[in-house]
Structure formats: C-alpha cells, structure tokens
Amino acid sequence: MADESKDIYFVQGIPVPDTPLPGKEPEAWQETNVVGKRLPRVDAYERVSGSAVYPSDVHLPNMLHGAILRCPHPHARVRNVDTSAASRMPGVRAVIRGTTPEADLVWKKDAAGEMRLFDPHCRFEGEEVAAVAAETPYQARDAINAIRVDYEVLPFVADERRALQAGSPPVHSKGNLSKSDTYERGDVTRGFAAAEVVLEESYRTECELHTPLEPHGCVASWEGRSLTVWESTQGVYAVQSRVAEVLKLPLARVRVIGHYMGGGFGSKLEAGKYTVIAALLARQSARPVKLLLTREETYLAVGNRPPCNMTLKAGVKRDGTLTALEFTCLATGGASPAGGTSLVDWLIRDLYTCPNVRTTLTDVFTNAGPARAFRAPGHPQGAWALEQMMDALAEAVGMDPVRLRLKNMAAFSQAREGNPAYTSTGFRKCLEQGAAAFGWEKARRETGAQAARGHMRRGVGMAGCLWVAGGGRPPSTVIVKLFSDGSVNLNMGASDLGTGTKTVMAMVVAEELGIKPEAIQIENADTGTTQYATPSGGSKTVPTEAPAVRNAAVQVKQKLMEMAAAALKTDVSELAYQGREIVSRRDASKRIAVKDLDALKRQGVVVGVGYRGPNPKNKVVNPFGAQFCEVEVNTKTGELKILRFVAAHDSGRVMNRLTYDNQVFGGITMGIGLAMTEARILDAGQTGKMVNRNWHDYKLPTALDVPADITSLPIGPADAEANNTGAKGLGEPVTIPTAAAVANAVCHATGLRITQTPINPLQLVQRLAERRKEG
C-alpha cells in the first residue's frame, strides 16, 4: 500500500520550477507545466451536483426567516411605524424598526451626512423601514405587509439631467450636487486650434443592474456575544469590518463565511444593511435568522451601473494625430455619494496619446437606488463615447479605424503624476493580431453601407481599452501546508466569485510542488479560519493572490529542501526539487522521496506562509484589449444580430486557458447587455418608481443575443515586472470595449451613429425611419 500511495498526490515526470535559496524571491516563470493549461475547476463536481453549499443553501436548526419592509416612495419621511398587528401574527418572533433601541444605529457617515440603519428620511424607493423574523418566509412576508407606516410623501427628482435645474426637489439638505471634478493637461484651446478636423458629439448610457443569479443575503447566528454570518459576498473581511463597526463589536467576535457565491459583479464588494438587520433579528429572537432579498429588492437597493450623459469634443490632424480631447459627464450615484462619475473619464485621459485633455465630471444626487461598483466601473461608459468618437474621426480624415488607433499609441500613463511607464503594454499587439484574426481589412471591404444589398445590412466594428487597475491590490496572506503523506492544504481568504479563483490558485501550488491540482484541499473565504484578503473584484484577485500563493508554496519547498539536505548530508544548493523526490544535482543516485523525509514525519506538516508584496515602484500595471465584431441589421424591423466577436487581450500570463476563455465570453455577454438590451426605467414624471424590476421586463441578454462564434485571443507575453506569476487582470477589460464595438459595427452597416444605449429594434427602426423621411 505504501508504494501504491506515493503517486496519489504527486505527478511523476513533470519538472517543477527551480527553488530559490531561503530568503530569496522566486524568479518569474519561463515555461510552465500546469499553469496555463485548460483544466476544469477543482470544485466542478460540487457546483454541478448541487453539493456546494452557497449562503442561500445554509439551513441551521431552529432557524427563522427575515424580511424587510421597504419604502414604496422615491422620497418620503417616516412619521410613524405601527408594528403592533405584525407582532401578533402567527410565527412572528422578532420585529425591529428605527425606534427600536438596539436598531437605532448609524449605518455610515459620508459627504451627504449621516445615514441610519432605518433612516426616517427615505430618499429612494426601497429604503429600509422595518424588519421581521418569523418561522417561515411566508409568515415573515405576511407580517411585513401588516405593518402600517405613516409617510409624508415628498417631491422627488428621478432624472439626473433635471437634478440641478432650478426648482428641482433637494435630495439632501445641501442640494443635489454631490461633487464636481476637473482634470486638465496641456491647453485644449490651442489643441483644437491646431486640429484640422474637430468633431463633437453627445452620448448616453442607461443605468444597468447587476442582477446576480444568487440574490444578496445572509444567515446570521449568535453564540453568546460572538456573531457568525454566512454571506453571499465578494469579500468576507470587508463584511466583517462593516458589521463590527456598526454593531460596535470587536472584529474577533464577528466571523463571516462565504465559501461559494452565485455572482456579484461588484454589487457584493461591500456589506449591505440586510446583514446587520439579520444580526439584530437573530439577537432579539435568540435564534439564527436567514434573510435573503427578493429579486425585486435587488433591483432597488443593492447597486447599479450609473446612467451617464457625456459630451466629447475631439481634434485631429489629417495624418491621424490627436491634438485635443474635451469631455464632460453628468451622472448620478443615486441618493448617496456612490461615485456616479467614478473613472468614467479614465480612457479619455489615458488610452491614446494626446497632449491636450480636459475632463469635467459632475455627480448629482437623485431619488434612486445607490450605485455600486459594476464590472469595470466607469470604463464601459467612457469607452462608449471615446471609441465611437475615434471611429468618427477615422471616417472624417479617411483613415482606417485600426490605423487611427495605432497612430496614437501611448507608451506610458499620461494621466498619472510623473507619467510612469507601464510594466508591459500589449495594446498594439491586441489591435494588430486581433485585426488579423478577425480578417478586418477584408471584412471592411465586403460589408458596410456601401456594400449593402436589400434590407439586410452587415457591418464590422471594433474598440480598444485599458483597465485602470488589474495589477493587484495588496495585502494578501496565504498559507500552504504539506502533510507527511504528501497531501496539501491551501488556506486563503479570497472569495471565488465563480470565476475559478480556487482552481487557478491550486494550479499555482501544483506548478511549484508537483502536486495534482485536484488533490489540493482548499480553505477559503472564512474570517475565522483563513488569512486576510481584500475583496475579490476589479480584476485584482489573480494578480494579488497568485503571487502570495506561489510564495507560500516556494517556502514549503525551501523547508523540504533543508530537510533533504540534512538527510542526504549535503548543501541545499546542491539539490533539486523534482516533486515526488529531491535529488542531488551532481549525483543522481543521491535522492530521497519527500514522504520519506524523517524530519517531515516527525514534524507532521510543513507550513509555508506567503505574502503579496507591493506593486512595482514607479510603474503601472494595466491590462489592455481590443475587440472586433460583425453584426447584421434588418433595416425593415430594426432587429440586430451579432454574428461574431474576436477578443484580443493583453492580461499577462494565462493562468488557466479554460477559465480565461470563460471570462472573455462572460464579459462580452455583459457588454452586449449594455449595448443592446439593458436599461433601468424609472417613471420620472409621475411616481419616480422603477417600472421594470424583474427579469421579465429588465432585459438581460440571452443565448439568442450572444453569438456562438466568439474567439478568445490571449496576447502575450507574461508580465515579468508585474508580479512573480506574470499575470494581470482580465475580468474587467473584456467587458469595457464590447458595447462601443457593437455601436461602431451598427454604424458601419447602416450609416447611423447610435449614441444612446440600448441599441434595440425600437430605436433602430425610429432612426431608420427618420433618415428615410429626411430623404
């Protein structure tokens, strides 16, 4: 049995990276044997079999179910809350409201002032008013409906374009201006004077909603003075911090667990009021409480991608050189200062070389749900404007759109102080290799309005991007344990959003230790048992966690090498780690199996602790990308069909080709939603309420909207300066240019420049009819 077991964990015949001497940092990988392969997820069986326990699956003995009463008005004051009838209803075990002593808590303080957990001044439809816990979800919902609230209904403003107009109702006492920021370099007036072509256009992107498959929510349970929360979250430590702060508890008494989650896209990067409410209900009832939001609630209260109104003026010389860019944006983060304009102008500032740039961002308050980070915050909106303008400039000067972008390549970050260089920039390769893979030049000749025959028109379009982050966000701590039988445990605090984080990290350990990835036992996302990690989001997870995982695995190797050196009576520098065995470099007969190391047997386990060091000094780590698509437009019905996509992305080393491609497909799908189907609709004139808060009326893209022909084209090489794994972020970049590429393809097919999302049949038919009417 001993001989049979020796290969259960180790892979034979596969070389592993050289082991640095103790105290030395590992060098960047050259060739890899596990990392980069197309491997299935290590938890694939659990996910597809239903045995994975998501927070929404957690069921504790004696557990109650919570529900929240939300304000039905976009703007109102709560005069009185009568919970007497609800308290007497069957199954009800706890009721809390703003005047309940233990629930009279400050949720947060920000530039808009102090917000309470149950704020008597409700500034958006869906704000929390009261909550109950009952034996069943149905009893909880019935009790909520029995609560009587006396509201003073107030005037509202639901359209950010009217928020600063005279006479608009104030959302906050200080007015509706949240903030205004201006960025400037060079002299835009001189830049436009030097231009031979100047264009100006206005653009709008509608508000998008995250709508993850698993709704927001948690299970809260007290044991004495300690609280345990099972939360659907992108960052267990972020939730722990906020809950402890609001409830005035030591961090050590708040444990947050989130082993699995059913999607977040940024909306679960932070804690929600529902977590604290569940904890209060559990404490009052002395029983665990599950509180999961309904789908309709998630549309109102847990984030969105803000609507943006943008104007871009651009100047260019006849040879394609950009001379000036002037950009303005009016947006809203809803009723809280949630960053409605955050990063919207970053591509205008930094993607293309331009000496003269001015951007002005105006963020206003409205009576609508607060914004939250949404896959590449600000960037898809900015790309919608900039990348359409780049195509319009190319047409105006008679230049191919790809050539115009290549003409204005940036070698360093223009928008950051000191103009730091990039650790790597593959933008040129993304454009050139992406165009070649797509067959860009041939497709441009054979499609477009000039090649139209009949009412079915085809066109091609493209767009480029960078993502402002994607280089990792320390700190991160990871522990790797190798046991005496050769099995391995990986302990990390990072959440796996469904993107395959656990799989990638197991592959990193496998690469270093020669272990089969599926044999590595993983503990993650539990503040009680795993190490600190920042929330998973912003394309930072792999470039943040993977180097820490590698450092921990390397430390394990170093300790094993020291054990082997003592056993073989030689110096560590004379040995080579080969996975199952450690071998002398000079005498191949001098070798010892890892599991035969007496020191390992006595010790029982070897522990490696890895940390994520700082990002490169005076350098910027950014991923780049370019996407190409072909569309078909029915000019009679306005129906738009996307035929194919090519996505060329410079995201450093590909860690797992399968999960890499899946990220590309998912990002393009989300971008198609922004381009063609998605829009939050508020009744801005009469009620201020959201009128499409369900999956039937809020149109997410389906399989019928997404082309079967999507080519994922990774652009190398690995970024050796970024970190010791060479990886950069991918999740955000793949959604940034998608909508703009679709819009450019539609323009190429029809000659119509569509500047407002979504490009749906209604809008297309109307624009086509207007053009026919104009002759």
Side-chain angles (χ1 to χ4, degrees), residues 22-206:
K24 299 290 186 180
E25 288 290 318
E27 295 183 0
W29 286 321
Q30 299 303 315
E31 297 296 323
T32 55
N33 297 290
V34 180
V35 167
K37 299 297 187 291
R38 184 181 291 270
L39 297 184
R41 297 168 194 257
V42 295
D43 57 358
Y45 175 80
E46 288 80 1
R47 290 180 182 274
V48 302
S49 67
S51 58
V53 179
Y54 290 77
S56 53
D57 296 323
V58 172
H59 189 88
L60 302 180
N62 213 27
M63 188 177 75
L64 300 175
H65 297 267
I68 298 173
L69 176 65
R70 298 182 178 275
C71 179
H73 309 290
H75 200 191
R77 287 189 186 277
V78 177
R79 289 172 170 155
N80 183 58
V81 180
D82 182 359
T83 61
S84 57
S87 299
R88 296 191 300 267
M89 293 186 70
V92 174
R93 300 292 178 258
V95 180
I96 57 175
R97 58 187 187 276
T99 56
T100 305
E102 64 268 26
D104 187 16
L105 299 171
V106 174
W107 172 245
K108 66 178 177 180
K109 295 180 181 179
D110 52 35
E114 184 179 271
M115 179 190 296
R116 307 199 72 76
L117 185 66
F118 294 106
D119 205 301
H121 188 168
C122 298
R123 293 180 171 89
F124 63 92
E125 180 193 9
E127 192 145 7
E128 296 82 356
V129 175
V132 304
E135 297 289 347
T136 72
Y138 307 104
Q139 289 174 332
R141 188 57 55 187
D142 288 343
I144 283 294
N145 293 334
I147 295 175
R148 295 293 171 256
V149 184
D150 180 13
Y151 294 102
E152 177 191 355
V153 180
L154 302 172
F156 65 86
V157 56
D159 188 334
E160 72 279 358
R161 292 164 289 190
R162 301 176 188 172
L164 298 181
Q165 293 178 359
S168 286
V171 178
H172 294 277
S173 59
K174 296 179 181 179
N176 292 340
L177 178 62
S178 176
K179 65 176 181 177
S180 182
D181 294 318
T182 298
Y183 165 85
E184 189 165 7
R185 69 170 180 263
D187 186 329
V188 293
T189 302
R190 288 186 178 181
F192 286 123
E196 295 173 280
V197 173
V198 176
L199 299 179
E200 185 171 5
E201 184 64 84
S202 294
Y203 306 88
R204 175 174 170 82
T205 54
E206 294 291 345

Side-chain angles (χ1 to χ4, degrees), residues 443-454 456-458 748-749:
R444 288 281 291 185
R445 291 193 304 269
E446 296 179 354
T447 62
Q450 78 284 347
R453 297 289 185 272
M456 301 298 291
R457 309 285 178 88
R458 288 194 176 189
H748 184 236

Side-chain angles (χ1 to χ4, degrees), residues 127-463:
E127 192 145 7
E128 296 82 356
V129 175
V132 304
E135 297 289 347
T136 72
Y138 307 104
Q139 289 174 332
R141 188 57 55 187
D142 288 343
I144 283 294
N145 293 334
I147 295 175
R148 295 293 171 256
V149 184
D150 180 13
Y151 294 102
E152 177 191 355
V153 180
L154 302 172
F156 65 86
V157 56
D159 188 334
E160 72 279 358
R161 292 164 289 190
R162 301 176 188 172
L164 298 181
Q165 293 178 359
S168 286
V171 178
H172 294 277
S173 59
K174 296 179 181 179
N176 292 340
L177 178 62
S178 176
K179 65 176 181 177
S180 182
D181 294 318
T182 298
Y183 165 85
E184 189 165 7
R185 69 170 180 263
D187 186 329
V188 293
T189 302
R190 288 186 178 181
F192 286 123
E196 295 173 280
V197 173
V198 176
L199 299 179
E200 185 171 5
E201 184 64 84
S202 294
Y203 306 88
R204 175 174 170 82
T205 54
E206 294 291 345
C207 177
E208 253 191 313
L209 297 161
H210 302 80
T211 66
L213 188 62
E214 181 183 35
H216 299 63
C218 69
V219 175
S221 179
W222 291 87
E223 186 173 336
R225 293 180 296 160
S226 295
L227 172 66
T228 300
V229 176
W230 290 262
E231 173 108 6
S232 182
T233 178
Q234 295 176 236
V236 290
Y237 280 94
V239 173
Q240 179 199 44
S241 177
R242 172 52 69 86
V243 171
E245 178 186 0
V246 175
L247 294 178
K248 295 181 172 54
L249 293 170
L251 288 168
R253 290 197 176 278
V254 179
R255 180 183 180 186
V256 180
I257 304 168
H259 296 148
Y260 289 91
M261 63 169 298
F265 315 116
S267 69
K268 296 177 183 176
L269 281 169
E270 57 187 90
K273 286 185 177 182
Y274 50 84
T275 308
V276 173
I277 291 171
L280 292 174
L281 290 169
R283 186 157 63 183
Q284 187 184 102
S285 63
R287 292 169 62 178
V289 171
K290 174 183 280 189
L291 203 169
L292 292 176
L293 304 193
T294 64
R295 178 64 56 194
E296 290 76 13
E297 286 177 289
T298 68
Y299 276 78
L300 297 175
V302 290
N304 56 68
R305 190 190 297 282
C308 287
N309 306 276
M310 302 165 284
T311 298
L312 179 57
K313 182 179 179 181
V316 65
K317 293 179 179 287
R318 288 287 175 187
D319 68 355
T321 302
L322 289 172
T323 62
L325 292 170
E326 186 171 18
F327 177 79
T328 62
C329 175
L330 173 72
T332 178
S336 66
T341 56
S342 177
L343 297 175
V344 173
D345 64 340
W346 192 259
L347 294 181
I348 288 85
R349 295 190 196 187
D350 221 30
L351 183 56
Y352 299 111
T353 297
C354 186
N356 308 296
V357 177
R358 180 164 62 216
T359 68
T360 303
L361 307 180
T362 303
D363 202 340
V364 298
F365 293 119
T366 56
N367 295 112
R372 284 189 182 179
F374 194 150
R375 199 170 190 169
H379 286 54
Q381 302 99 298
W384 178 257
L386 176 63
E387 291 303 286
Q388 289 206 67
M389 176 58 77
M390 291 297 286
D391 264 37
L393 291 172
E395 183 178 5
V397 300
M399 184 177 286
D400 179 85
V402 173
R403 284 187 55 221
L404 178 68
R405 289 168 171 85
L406 290 170
K407 176 75 176 178
N408 293 281
M409 286 285 98
F412 54 85
S413 176
Q414 305 160 88
R416 293 177 172 89
E417 186 176 353
N419 299 138
Y422 295 113
T423 54
S424 66
T425 170
F427 191 25
R428 178 177 295 277
K429 288 184 178 180
C430 290
L431 290 166
E432 293 174 341
Q433 294 181 28
F438 186 80
W440 173 256
E441 293 182 1
K442 183 173 184 289
R444 288 281 291 185
R445 291 193 304 269
E446 296 179 354
T447 62
Q450 78 284 347
R453 297 289 185 272
H455 67 280
M456 301 298 291
R457 309 285 178 88
R458 288 194 176 189
V460 294
M462 58 80 54

